[in-house]
Amino acid sequence: DIQMAQSPATLSASEGDRVTITCRASQSISSWLAWYQQKPGKAPKLLIYKASSLESGVPSRFSGSGSGTEFTLTISSLQPDDFATYYCQQYNSYPYTFGQGTKLEI
Amino acid sequence: EVQLLESGGTLVQPGGSLRLSCAASGFAFSNYAMTWVRQAPGKGLECLSMVGVNGAATPYVDSVKGRFTISRDNSKSALYLQMNSLRVEDTAIYYCAKGTMVSGRHFFDYWGPGTLVTVSS
């Protein structure tokens, strides 16, 4: 199975900050990577697919980049609604696997 | 509007069985792959398997292989997860999610609110 490693595990930031979360795959997954946001007690929400494609309705302050084994999710200017946990997921090969999550907190 | 609603979660004893259901609406269910993803309390996400439009399942994650079976009924717009030989470590919120295919690969664009399965004696 492909292992996904996210860093950092926890990120402390303030409103207006620019933040970056990194996701590394144990082998190349081309651009088959998605990013999800999850708030407490809620289901995950798709933000980015195919490494850099923004899901419809997601604010443009979210962006994704990378290919192969290294990927990043960037939030250009943090808003109060962005404090949540973020997961990357590879969908290059089965079983699809997630990173362990990055908790973004104030 | 796409809606997914899981049901069937409950308290079950170790070794028991349970079938989860996911009712889908707001999209052409038969045209999309579907998946089950679970999340143990305070933990991350684990994709169990995915079922294609024709009912064929992708390989299961090792932790449930041989015990869980994913299936679908396109006539009812329903997704199922049959869980046998349940273990304490299967305790989790179980989400169903809709797969969207781009360039032959699937990502998950809509998720249900989840149903809680607790395995305990």
Side-chain angles (χ1 to χ4, degrees), chain B residues 27-48:
Chain B
F27 65 103
F29 180 80
S30 60
N31 292 346
Y32 292 90
M34 298 291 295
T35 191
W36 287 100
V37 175
R38 72 180 180 181
Q39 186 170 37
K43 302 297 184 182
L45 301 165
E46 182 177 48
C47 183
L48 305 183

Side-chain angles (χ1 to χ4, degrees), chain B residues 74-95:
Chain B
N74 288 338
S75 69
K76 296 181 179 179
S77 296
L79 176 72
Y80 303 105
L81 184 68
Q82 178 66 42
M83 304 187 293
N84 299 329
S85 303
L86 282 161
R87 305 168 180 169
V88 171
E89 55 265 34
D90 294 319
T91 295
I93 296 172
Y94 286 73
Y95 297 101

Side-chain angles (χ1 to χ4, degrees), chain A residues 1 32 34 36 38 41-46 49-50 55 87 89 91-100, chain B residues 37 39 43-48 50 58-62 95 102-103 105-113:
Chain A
D1 298 0
W32 307 118
Y36 299 88
Q38 187 179 34
K42 300 295 186 181
K45 172 189 174 183
L46 176 68
Y49 62 94
K50 207 176 180 185
E55 172 69 349
Y87 293 93
Q89 181 221 345
Y91 55 102
N92 178 73
S93 59
Y94 305 122
Y96 294 163
T97 46
F98 292 85
Q100 80 278 17
Chain B
V37 175
Q39 186 170 37
K43 302 297 184 182
L45 301 165
E46 182 177 48
C47 183
L48 305 183
M50 187 174 71
T58 62
Y60 293 83
V61 67
D62 283 348
Y95 297 101
V102 171
S103 303
R105 300 296 205 283
H106 296 84
F107 56 89
F108 308 127
D109 55 354
Y110 288 92
W111 297 60

Side-chain angles (χ1 to χ4, degrees), chain A residues 28-97:
Chain A
S28 178
I29 59 170
S30 184
S31 296
W32 307 118
L33 184 99
W35 288 99
Y36 299 88
Q37 177 193 67
Q38 187 179 34
K39 295 182 179 179
K42 300 295 186 181
K45 172 189 174 183
L46 176 68
L47 300 174
I48 301 280
Y49 62 94
K50 207 176 180 185
S52 60
S53 296
L54 193 68
E55 172 69 349
S56 176
V58 174
S60 59
R61 63 181 179 273
F62 291 91
S63 63
S65 65
S67 66
T69 62
E70 188 152 339
F71 303 85
T72 59
L73 173 71
T74 299
I75 310 173
S76 60
S77 178
L78 276 174
Q79 300 302 301
D81 191 50
D82 300 338
F83 291 94
T85 300
Y86 293 84
Y87 293 93
C88 61
Q89 181 221 345
Q90 67 83 16
Y91 55 102
N92 178 73
S93 59
Y94 305 122
Y96 294 163
T97 46

